[in-house]
Amino acid sequence: METDELGLFSDRHAERGRRQPARRRRKPRRGAGRKITMVVVTLVVLGLIGAGVWYGLTQVLGIDLDGYDDYAGPGEQDVVVEIPTGASTGVIAGRLVDAGVVASNKAFVKAAEGNQKVLGIQPGYYVMKTKTSAKDAITQILDPESRRGRLEIRGGWQLDDITKGDGKVEPGIVQRLADASCAELNGKSTCVPVEELRETAKTADLAALGVPEWAVPVAAALEPQRRLEGLIVPGVYDVRPGSTAQELWQKVISESATQMQAIGLPKVAEQTGFTPYQVLTMASLIEREAIEKDFGKVSRVTYNRLVNDMPLQYDSTVNYVLDRPDIRTKAEDRERAGPYNTYATRGLPPGPISAPSAKAIEAATKPEAGNWLYFVRCQKDGTSCFAENARQHEQNVEQAQANGAY
């Protein structure tokens, strides 16, 4: 061993003996970088999902991240707001915020707390004021006069107005649609004239209006003013004030087509021996000839008379072209030639004569079993008496006259 000048071991050599072997640096494992990247991506995706869920909750529950911003006063300009079916208070608030009616979701939700009437707000269109306080917005939307565009169609109604026996005029579907189009927006009326609706009904492309594919060819062959008859089933429709005549027809006809599809048309017609449009026509006759409890029997009479090549002899078809709702006809009216005169013409009329309900359509596809060939309204409540032969029918007519029902 080496020694220094004093004969001692050198510290340098001693230190050398104490040193540990140098560690070799590990190389990164293959795929480690990828794992880190995947972790980062996963965290980002989870963050986005969480943000989306939170945003959805803010819309449904009315949570507003912007705080309690609120406008002051009753508002400025008129604006139309649509409230969708099943809307919660938070969703309604969101619609009002988007339309510029209220300043924030939370202002509206807070103002609505404890007000049970808010929970009863119906879907549809409402005329509101922009930049209004949440409190005033609630007062506005709960006012029945704020709701616009509501159109109710009942079974048996037809496109044109009809004149009753007492001289009173019952508005038809066209007039009711014109009325539903009306609202006052910033001093201007949104009403679409009846004449404009009639012209559109006569000339517009039926497929573009939403008429079902199976109905287009037959409806197109009818007289222009009758093309849309029977294609608007009973129900409540909401049309937007400010819409054009074309848009109004598209709204009700497309929704009606969806309802007819839900009822089963055109498929349910396959088992009847009639086309879907003939079933619709038959249903419209049933709707006008009877009350609901007799739909199935009147349907059977219709089937039986058609099978036996007998004229239907339904007064409703004669009165249809005369725009009258009477259950009886005059001799001179029955003698008038025309495709809707089922006294003079065998078979079904060329198209529907009224708006057929789901019950009438069901009856037209599933008539009650029976051999009836005749019926007459024999009770004042609209109940009919049915007969298998002419003699029985004459007796029923006498009874109906005695009851003051015919």
Side-chain angles (χ1 to χ4, degrees), residues 159-160 198 201-203 206 217-229 277 317 320-322 337-341 349-353:
L159 291 175
D160 293 332
R198 291 191 193 282
K202 291 178 183 178
T203 61
L206 292 177
V218 191
L222 298 177
E223 297 174 89
Q225 70 271 25
R226 307 194 193 285
R227 298 193 310 162
L228 300 183
E229 194 75 84
Y277 197 78
T317 63
Y320 167 66
V321 295
L322 302 174
Y340 288 88
N341 186 340
I353 64 171

Side-chain angles (χ1 to χ4, degrees), residues 36 52 107 111 127 129 159 177 192 195-196 205 210 255 259 279 311 327 338 364-365 378 389 395 400:
I36 294 173
V127 176
K129 291 285 188 181
L159 291 175
L177 181 56
V192 176
E195 295 74 18
E196 190 173 335
D205 180 83
E255 287 189 9
Q259 292 185 53
V279 167
I327 63 170
T365 59
C378 58
N389 55 58
Q395 293 174 344

Side-chain angles (χ1 to χ4, degrees), residues 288-307:
R288 289 296 295 271
E289 287 286 335
I291 58 177
E292 187 175 312
K293 70 175 184 177
D294 289 333
F295 279 0
K297 289 183 177 180
V298 171
S299 178
R300 175 54 65 189
V301 171
T302 305
Y303 272 74
N304 289 344
R305 293 183 76 90
L306 291 173
V307 168

